Amino acid sequence: AVVCTNDEACQYKSAEWQCDPRCICWVQRSIGSLIVDCRGTSLGQLPDLPRTTLLSTVLKVGNNSLTSLPAVSEHSGYANVSGLFLSDNNLTTLGSGDQLPENLTHLDVRGNQIQSLSEEFILFLQEPNNTMTLSLSGNPISCGCESLSLLFFVRTNPQRVRDIADIVCTKQKKAFQQMEAFELCPSYVLLISCVVGGLVIVICLLTVFYLMFQQELKIWMYNNNLCLWWVSEEELDKDKTYDAFISYSHKDEELISKLLPKLESGPHPFRLCLHDRDWLVGDCIPEQIVRT
């Protein structure tokens, strides 16, 4: 139950939970949260919290001796925490983020020993429903290749890291948000350059190959029914004088004379080549075949 003695602060009373004697606990009516303040009490682990749905919990455990983020399953009432203040402890990592309370809206880890955030933690921050903000200044951020994912995250989500302007790369003597990828990781830029250069070379080679064997390539693609939207029979034959050569025996001359007008007229006429009509008498036959 919540018992109020004035307009600002109230007490949370429960038969199942008592405030840790090293901490100060009260309900702040303006934000509707139970404040558990255990700063500077030499805590090595988190105190127990009440299991309640009446209030969210803001836990302040700065200036203690905590070395890792607690997991929801390890502490009673921890799942209800909406604000977790862990500044000036001995944290070296934030893990993958899965151990944090589901409804956590702000995580304060200023002044710890965190050198980088893992790829898993950055992915955790980028989850669609995750709006948690972070305070990170005062940590010895390495400002190396391992911090590239953090740089890309703060570039696209600057409002999610409240004190981003106060995070400084000591070695480079420059604000973290002003760093460029090549300053953090020269090998990353080299890799990108190699990939881009390789793509340019491949594109150039493919272009040269296409220009040298354009006709052969189109014929092969057409014969194999590939990319027919790009190549058509009309395009392949646009430089040809004839559509077809009719080879026949002199015994079939009468049949050809009847078929020829029908084939060479109509809505889709064919351009036909006949040896006795279109070839030069006495000319070399192989040359005439190539020419027509």
Side-chain angles (χ1 to χ4, degrees):
V2 177
V3 179
C4 299
T5 56
N6 56 55
D7 293 336
E8 289 297 325
C10 304
Q11 289 183 329
Y12 177 80
K13 293 186 177 182
S14 171
E16 301 176 353
W17 176 80
Q18 294 292 327
C19 180
D20 190 297
R22 296 169 294 179
C23 307
I24 301 173
C25 307
W26 77 95
V27 174
Q28 189 169 339
R29 299 184 65 180
S30 59
I31 60 174
S33 295
L34 171 64
I35 311 297
V36 179
D37 190 343
C38 306
R39 290 175 291 181
T41 55
S42 301
L43 288 177
Q45 61 180 13
L46 295 186
D48 287 337
L49 301 174
R51 296 177 181 270
T52 176
T53 57
L54 296 177
L55 302 164
S56 63
T57 302
V58 174
L59 180 58
K60 300 181 178 182
V61 287
N63 194 22
N64 281 293
S65 303
L66 301 173
T67 58
S68 62
L69 286 178
V72 173
S73 59
E74 295 176 356
H75 297 277
S76 174
Y78 183 54
N80 198 42
V81 172
S82 61
L84 182 56
F85 294 81
L86 290 155
S87 60
D88 300 310
N89 277 278
N90 296 315
L91 302 178
T92 58
T93 178
L94 296 183
S96 62
D98 294 339
Q99 74 276 36
L100 294 173
E102 183 178 351
N103 298 319
L104 188 65
T105 59
H106 183 65
L107 176 64
D108 183 350
V109 290
R110 293 172 296 168
N112 281 274
Q113 301 301 316
I114 300 168
Q115 295 187 11
S116 64
L117 303 187
S118 67
E119 294 286 345
E120 292 79 9
F121 191 83
I122 298 297
L123 291 174
F124 165 74
L125 292 175
Q126 293 174 331
E127 290 178 359
N129 297 325
N130 191 338
T131 59
M132 185 189 79
T133 56
L134 189 66
S135 294
L136 194 60
S137 62
N139 284 283
I141 301 298
S142 65
C143 295
C145 293
E146 62 276 9
S147 296
L148 279 175
S149 56
L150 175 60
L151 178 66
F152 297 148
F153 176 76
V154 298
R155 287 283 175 83
T156 55
N157 304 275
Q159 74 285 354
R160 298 282 299 279
V161 182
R162 292 183 178 180
D163 56 350
I164 184 60
D166 299 324
I167 301 176
V168 178
C169 293
T170 306
K171 183 178 179 180
Q172 292 88 345
K173 297 181 180 179
K174 189 174 181 180
F176 182 79
Q177 65 176 348
Q178 296 177 353
M179 296 289 288
E180 299 295 339
F182 70 88
E183 294 178 288
L184 290 181
C185 189
S187 59
Y188 170 79
V189 178
L190 178 61
L191 174 62
I192 296 299
S193 301
C194 291
V195 171
V196 172
L199 288 175
V200 170
I201 292 174
V202 170
I203 292 173
C204 290
L205 291 175
L206 290 176
T207 302
V208 171
F209 179 81
Y210 172 75
L211 294 176
M212 291 178 62
F213 303 101
Q214 179 177 358
Q215 189 70 5
E216 292 83 351
L217 181 61
K218 288 184 176 181
I219 292 173
W220 180 84
M221 295 178 69
Y222 183 81
N223 289 337
N224 289 275
N225 294 320
L226 298 174
C227 300
L228 296 181
W229 53 268
W230 180 51
V231 58
S232 63
E233 184 176 4
E234 290 77 10
E235 182 181 359
L236 294 176
D237 294 340
K238 65 181 180 180
D239 297 327
K240 303 291 180 62
T241 305
Y242 300 101
D243 294 318
F245 174 79
I246 298 181
S247 177
Y248 59 93
S249 169
H250 69 278
K251 298 178 181 180
D252 298 322
E253 288 183 355
E254 183 178 353
L255 175 62
I256 294 300
S257 63
K258 293 179 181 179
L259 289 176
L260 200 60
K262 297 179 180 180
L263 293 173
E264 292 186 324
S265 60
H268 301 288
F270 290 95
R271 296 171 296 177
L272 303 176
C273 178
L274 281 72
H275 70 280
D276 59 342
R277 184 188 69 180
D278 301 304
W279 281 8
L280 297 175
V281 178
D283 201 355
C284 179
I285 292 178
E287 291 183 2
Q288 296 204 70
I289 292 175
V290 173
R291 190 164 55 245
T292 56

